[in-house]
Amino acid sequence: MDKSTSSKTATEKPLERYVRILEIVAGFPDGISGTTVGEMLDLPKASAYRLMKSLADVELIEQSGPKTATFKLGRRLERLLFSGVSDEWLKVVARPTLQELSEQTGQACFIARLSGNTVRSVDMVSPGNLVRAYIVPGLEIPAHAGASAKAILAFQDPDFIASVLDRPLKRLTAATKIDFAQLLGELETVRKTGVAYCIGEDVEGFAGIAAPIRIEGQRTLHSLCVTGTIHGILEANRDRNVSLIKRLAEKLSKILEKQFQLTVKSST
């Protein structure tokens, strides 16, 4: 290491070193050794491993084994990337599944997404019935009343759930649940069955069935929902609709997981 490199390393801000390590590791999806990273940054081996261990401790990178093994991007960083994926990307990937669900049910179908502490519809496909005026892209879904919101909320951590539901809630219809304990019980059922319902709870006469879109290692941010009249959704075709929504949500989960992996690789 020459004097100019040594001087630069000595005066470099600590955070800059961490960022540079992340940039290098991101360029090696199959992993890179700590020794190689140190050489690329002109750092002593001990310093490189100390910095990389700090990044591994907070799950921004992960180590595949002992110190002789390789490092790659960690799940926490991947979760951050996943959370920042644009709605436009999601629409392109999810639209064929939405169309398939709408064609098979004859009902309006949409994707919902959690952003902050609010769930909103992202994209929808409708057969042209009156539900088009009921669910539109960008509409906020009541967390305590909408099936699509419940399907997402059920898989959040308890503190987050409490921050959203353990407060005065608006009664939208006579069927709206506003008791925190009752809502927690419903979310537990959603976790067990993999499906959430709204039965006249946000708009009288309308119902919804939703399933979470879950990607391994990622926070649950999306759900797939079919909505329409209570008769069309539940009374006439309940079992068929439940089966379809669960199957296609699982299908969409696999599609999104593959697409996200490709997006992460291309972005790094």
Side-chain angles (χ1 to χ4, degrees):
M1 185 185 301
D2 59 31
K3 290 184 178 180
S4 62
T5 301
S6 177
S7 175
K8 178 180 178 182
T9 301
T11 59
E12 204 170 48
K13 294 181 179 179
L15 183 58
E16 177 65 21
R17 292 187 184 182
Y18 288 117
V19 173
R20 291 177 67 191
I21 289 173
L22 288 174
E23 290 174 338
I24 290 174
V25 173
F28 294 83
D30 296 325
I32 182 172
S33 71
T35 299
T36 302
V37 172
E39 291 173 350
M40 294 175 72
L41 293 177
D42 290 325
L43 287 172
K45 184 177 179 179
S47 296
Y49 273 108
R50 176 177 53 80
L51 293 170
M52 296 180 79
K53 184 180 184 303
S54 295
L55 289 172
D57 286 344
V58 294
E59 299 181 355
L60 293 181
I61 62 175
E62 60 183 41
Q63 188 175 354
S64 61
K67 290 185 178 181
T68 54
T70 59
F71 291 85
K72 60 182 182 178
L73 292 182
R75 287 193 172 186
R76 186 175 187 181
L77 186 56
E78 290 184 346
R79 288 195 294 269
L80 291 173
L81 291 171
F82 181 66
S83 297
V85 168
S86 72
D87 288 347
E88 293 306 314
W89 174 86
L90 179 64
K91 290 177 184 178
V92 171
V93 177
R95 178 54 72 99
T97 303
L98 275 178
Q99 291 174 332
E100 180 180 356
L101 182 59
S102 183
E103 289 171 2
Q104 293 197 43
T105 61
Q107 303 292 337
C109 306
F110 66 96
I111 299 286
R113 175 172 182 164
L114 175 65
S115 180
N117 61 356
T118 301
V119 175
R120 294 185 182 275
S121 58
V122 173
D123 193 20
M124 73 165 292
V125 172
S126 171
N129 57 29
L130 293 178
V131 180
R132 180 176 294 276
Y134 164 47
I135 295 291
V136 295
L139 179 73
E140 181 176 344
I141 311 297
H144 63 302
S148 59
K150 295 176 190 177
I152 296 172
L153 197 59
F155 296 92
Q156 308 305 310
D157 66 67
D159 288 341
F160 182 84
I161 293 173
S163 71
V164 174
L165 297 181
D166 192 12
R167 56 189 179 86
L169 299 170
K170 185 176 181 180
R171 189 179 295 279
L172 304 171
T173 72
T176 305
K177 303 179 186 70
I178 59 173
D179 179 73
F180 181 55
Q182 185 180 13
L183 288 167
L184 287 182
E186 184 176 8
L187 295 183
E188 176 62 25
T189 300
V190 174
R191 286 189 287 273
K192 290 179 179 178
T193 63
V195 64
Y197 295 95
C198 167
I199 307 175
E201 296 163 47
D202 53 356
V203 177
E204 291 185 8
F206 284 89
I209 304 173
I213 299 170
R214 307 197 69 198
I215 297 177
E216 185 178 357
Q218 307 299 334
R219 184 184 181 193
T220 300
L221 298 177
H222 306 93
S223 65
L224 178 64
C225 185
V226 58
T227 187
T229 65
I230 291 177
H231 174 77
I233 294 295
L234 298 175
E235 295 175 355
N237 299 293
R238 181 185 185 120
D239 291 343
R240 179 172 178 270
N241 288 338
V242 168
S243 177
L244 279 170
I245 197 77
K246 292 179 71 174
R247 178 174 65 82
L248 292 180
E250 183 177 355
K251 174 184 176 181
L252 191 53
S253 295
K254 293 177 180 178
I255 293 173
L256 291 181
E257 182 171 14
K258 290 180 181 179
Q259 187 66 33
F260 173 66
Q261 290 171 349
L262 291 174
T263 301
V264 170
K265 286 183 179 181
S266 65
S267 66
T268 55

